[in-house]
């Protein structure tokens, strides 16, 4: 990772400069005042990483090198739940994560996991970038985390090994990995699947060994993790929109002076736009690539039937999160 090497190089140069008594040298040979350890689970070429690289550059430039972000992708520091725990402890400072494990930390976050909550991406952006989204991010405060912004994981689709999924009944009896998330678990149970919660890191091997029949994720995840090697069918159900919150350890946040806090927060919000368009560009390109890799794509599964079949879950959880909040989201235009 060149940015890490560069950080070391900069530190050495700064030491050298100090030793030689060269004071007030150019900003780029100073070591960063705030070194932020960032960690997430996706690969180097996935839009979480691409967005984070852009974010790190902008933050470095706008803070005159005072804030440096060291990116660790590909689960180098653990799965999503562990990383979020790291934020609470202050051992990890920054992440971009799926909502998968977040309901275990902030129960209200589970509202975003309701199947067919958002009509389309612009509906999701409207809600997440407005007062409702900010309200959800602010709920992380009490558990020692500063919620910065919503980036994108994407609309989730179902992949399977043995059987094409066209309608809800096709999932009956299939062992499908879901995120460690009670709404997703309930939704897939409702469809008759054997819904198996599991951290992402174990999924590829479990699919490979036939311990699972399928899973569900956005196209950029399916593609960058090469799920085509272990899955035959991709059914474009789009049953839930997965945002990717960018979260910071409250310990790191509180250490930053307010001018730097402002840059760190505003830049995270600004990069959401870029990161989402990177994600959509990958979706477009990768669908063809997945076909070329031998996957059979079911483009038009019976979405209305999926929505109908998952409705009881919507009703059940709507009661828990407050019908009011759910209605406000549904009615956002
Ligand atoms: O955050 O666990 C999941 O299925 C997530 O969508 C994925 O790892 C990216």
């Amino acid at each position: 990772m060149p940015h890490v090497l560069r950080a070391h190089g900069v530190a050495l140069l700064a030491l050298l400069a100090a030793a030689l008594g060269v004071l007030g040298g150019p900003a780029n040979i100073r070591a960063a005042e705030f070194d932020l350890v960032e960690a997430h689970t996706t690969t180097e070429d996935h839009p979480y990483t691409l967005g984070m690289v852009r974010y790190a550059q902008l933050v470095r430039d706008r803070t005159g090198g005072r804030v440096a972000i060291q990116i660790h992708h590909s689960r180098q520091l653990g799965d999503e739940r562990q990383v979020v725990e790291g934020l609470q402890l202050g051992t990890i400072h920054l992440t971009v994560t799926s909502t998968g494990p977040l309901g275990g930390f902030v129960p209200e976050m589970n509202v975003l996991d309701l199947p067919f909550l958002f009509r389309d991406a612009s509906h999701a952006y409207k809600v997440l970038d407005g007062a409702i989204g900010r309200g959800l991010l602010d709920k992380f405060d009490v558990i020692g985390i500063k919620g910065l912004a919503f980036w994108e994981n994407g609309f989730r689709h179902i992949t399977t090994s043995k059987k094409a999924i066209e309608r809800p009944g096709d999932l009956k009896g299939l062992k499908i990995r879901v995120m460690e998330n009670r709404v997703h678990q309930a939704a897939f149970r409702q469809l008759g699947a054997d819904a198996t919660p599991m951290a992402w890191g174990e999924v590829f091997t479990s699919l490979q060994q036939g311990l699972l029949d399928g899973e569900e994720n956005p196209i950029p995840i399916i593609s960058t993790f090469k799920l085509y090697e272990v899955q035959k069918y991709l059914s474009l159900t789009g049953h839930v929109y997965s945002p990717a919150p960018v979260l910071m350890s409250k310990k790191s946040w509180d250490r930053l002076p307010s001018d730097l806090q402002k840059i760190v927060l505003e830049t995270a919000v600004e990069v959401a736009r870029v990161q989402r368009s990177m994600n959509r560009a990958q979706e477009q390109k990768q669908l063809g690539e997945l076909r070329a890799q031998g996957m059979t794509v079911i483009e038009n599964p019976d979405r209305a039937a999926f929505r109908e079949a998952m409705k009881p879950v919507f009703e059940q959880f709507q009661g828990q999160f407050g019908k009011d909040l759910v209605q406000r989201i549904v009615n956002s235009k």
Side-chain angles (χ1 to χ4, degrees):
M1 285 186 302
H3 54 278
V4 168
L5 293 178
R6 209 175 318 126
H8 284 299
V10 168
L12 276 178
L13 274 178
L15 272 179
L16 199 63
L20 293 171
V22 184
L23 297 171
N28 64 358
I29 62 162
R30 259 191 331 214
E33 227 174 293
F34 301 97
D35 262 310
L36 301 180
V37 174
E38 190 277 343
H40 61 267
T41 56
T42 63
T43 57
E44 196 166 12
D45 50 351
H46 180 268
Y48 285 5
T49 312
L50 305 180
M52 202 44 85
V53 167
R54 178 70 64 91
Y55 181 53
Q57 279 165 354
L58 288 171
V59 166
R60 189 195 56 203
D61 293 349
R62 291 172 181 178
T63 62
R66 293 175 71 194
V67 178
I69 297 173
Q70 297 173 21
I71 301 172
H72 301 82
H73 53 76
S74 305
R75 299 176 53 248
Q76 290 169 47
L77 301 184
D79 267 304
E80 290 180 340
R81 189 155 44 82
Q82 291 162 284
V83 169
V84 176
E85 285 164 1
L87 296 183
Q88 289 184 297
L89 295 169
T91 52
I92 297 173
H93 309 134
L94 189 67
T95 192
V96 49
T97 175
S98 73
T99 57
L102 296 182
F105 296 86
V106 173
E108 293 89 340
M109 278 297 285
N110 272 146
V111 74
L112 300 177
D113 296 300
L114 287 172
F116 297 103
L117 177 67
F118 295 113
R119 291 181 297 277
D120 51 27
S122 51
H123 181 204
Y125 301 160
K126 177 104 212 224
V127 170
L128 297 169
D129 297 344
I132 296 175
R134 186 49 60 189
L136 288 170
L137 290 172
D138 287 346
K139 295 223 183 305
F140 283 90
D141 248 56
V142 293
I143 62 151
I145 290 175
K146 173 72 186 170
L148 296 180
F150 284 105
W151 292 2
E152 178 162 284
N153 190 5
F155 277 97
R156 304 181 79 90
H157 308 295
I158 301 171
T159 68
T160 44
S161 52
K162 293 177 224 152
K163 190 173 163 191
I165 305 300
E166 315 243 8
R167 50 193 71 76
D170 296 336
L171 282 162
K172 213 153 256 145
L174 294 190
K175 205 171 170 74
I176 304 289
R177 177 268 180 174
V178 292
M179 297 197 288
E180 297 165 291
N181 180 303
R182 60 204 182 100
V183 180
H184 285 216
Q185 216 177 316
F188 277 82
R189 276 215 191 110
Q190 188 69 38
L191 299 179
D194 176 2
T196 310
M198 196 183 271
W200 177 244
E202 299 160 43
V203 177
F204 187 94
T205 315
S206 303
L207 289 169
Q208 194 170 39
Q209 294 174 348
L211 300 174
L212 291 170
D213 298 309
E215 63 83 59
E216 46 84 59
N217 249 301
I219 289 168
I221 295 282
I222 295 168
S223 172
T224 53
F225 281 94
K226 303 185 182 358
L227 291 198
Y228 49 79
E229 291 179 358
V230 290
Q231 296 281 266
K232 173 76 185 148
Y233 300 100
L234 166 59
S235 178
L236 300 181
T237 47
H239 50 277
V240 68
Y241 174 80
S242 237
V246 179
L247 305 175
M248 189 172 187
S249 171
K250 193 82 172 30
K251 293 192 169 145
S252 311
W253 173 258
D254 289 341
R255 241 175 256 139
L256 295 176
S258 61
D259 57 326
L260 299 187
Q261 284 182 339
K262 189 168 186 292
I263 294 171
V264 162
L265 176 63
E266 289 178 358
T267 307
V269 171
E270 179 187 320
V271 170
R273 226 180 316 128
V274 185
Q275 192 274 344
R276 285 166 180 166
S277 61
M278 288 168 169
N279 204 59
R280 287 196 309 263
Q282 281 207 358
E283 276 174 3
Q284 292 292 321
K285 185 169 77 82
Q286 290 166 342
L287 193 56
E289 290 171 7
L290 291 174
R291 280 201 186 90
Q293 294 289 350
M295 284 191 101
T296 302
V297 179
I298 295 93
E299 281 196 53
N300 283 307
D302 191 345
R303 282 188 207 91
F306 276 97
R307 174 195 279 265
E308 199 50 36
M310 288 177 168
K311 219 174 192 161
V313 175
F314 200 99
E315 305 288 335
Q316 174 197 339
F317 283 97
Q318 165 160 278
Q320 293 186 25
F321 306 135
K323 241 189 158 114
D324 198 48
L325 174 60
V326 177
Q327 283 317 310
R328 271 202 296 146
I329 294 178
V330 170
N331 294 333
S332 291
K333 293 245 157 57

